[in-house]
Amino acid sequence: MNWVLDADIKGFFDTIDHEWLLKFLEHRISDKRILRLIGKWLRAGVSDEGQWSETTVGTPQGAVISPLLGNVFLHYVLDLWIQDWRGRNCRGDVVIVRYADDFVVGFQHRYEAVACLV
């Protein structure tokens, strides 16, 4: 790889759309009880200094399940997109390495790295 794009999705865990996340999870999980449990976990809300507030987007901050849910969400939103984009737009090698909201994309050619940013 000659050109590298290093990125972190700002505010990712705070803005994950619950409806889309649950749709993506339905592709992998057939047990409705598990899906219902994850939905309850997402809607559990936040208690800050004794004040409870509802959560309509995002994953539980600091929860052990958040990286897992983030990885499932980004598989459908980023990984599959870059795979499709690479197939339609690139002649050289393109490699993506991602964990949760951090990822690195390596490109063989500069023009493909620039095109990915646009």
Side-chain angles (χ1 to χ4, degrees):
M1 296 294 117
N2 299 317
W3 302 91
V4 176
L5 170 64
D6 180 15
D8 175 52
I9 302 171
K10 185 178 180 181
F12 171 69
F13 289 102
D14 298 333
T15 59
I16 291 177
D17 184 282
H18 291 178
E19 186 177 334
W20 277 108
L21 176 58
L22 290 170
K23 286 179 186 180
F24 296 152
L25 288 168
E26 287 174 2
H27 284 272
R28 295 173 175 247
I29 301 170
S30 60
D31 189 333
K32 298 294 183 192
R33 296 170 298 176
I34 298 297
L35 293 169
R36 189 171 45 252
L37 179 63
I38 292 170
K40 286 181 179 183
W41 197 335
L42 290 171
R43 293 184 301 274
V46 176
S47 179
D48 186 24
E49 296 182 17
Q51 295 292 329
W52 180 85
S53 59
E54 182 181 17
T55 4
T56 57
V57 294
T59 61
Q61 196 166 20
V64 295
I65 198 168
S66 291
L68 177 99
L69 296 175
N71 277 324
V72 169
F73 190 85
L74 283 175
H75 168 73
Y76 290 98
V77 174
L78 178 64
D79 299 346
L80 294 180
W81 172 80
I82 202 117
Q83 180 181 352
D84 179 63
W85 180 87
R86 175 178 43 207
R88 288 183 291 110
N89 299 294
C90 297
R91 293 186 179 179
D93 291 333
V94 177
V95 175
I96 184 169
V97 177
R98 183 187 57 73
Y99 178 74
D101 62 339
D102 298 307
F103 64 95
V104 176
V105 187
F107 300 89
Q108 184 176 358
H109 304 294
R110 182 183 187 280
Y111 70 90
E112 294 172 346
V114 171
C116 187
L117 286 172
V118 177

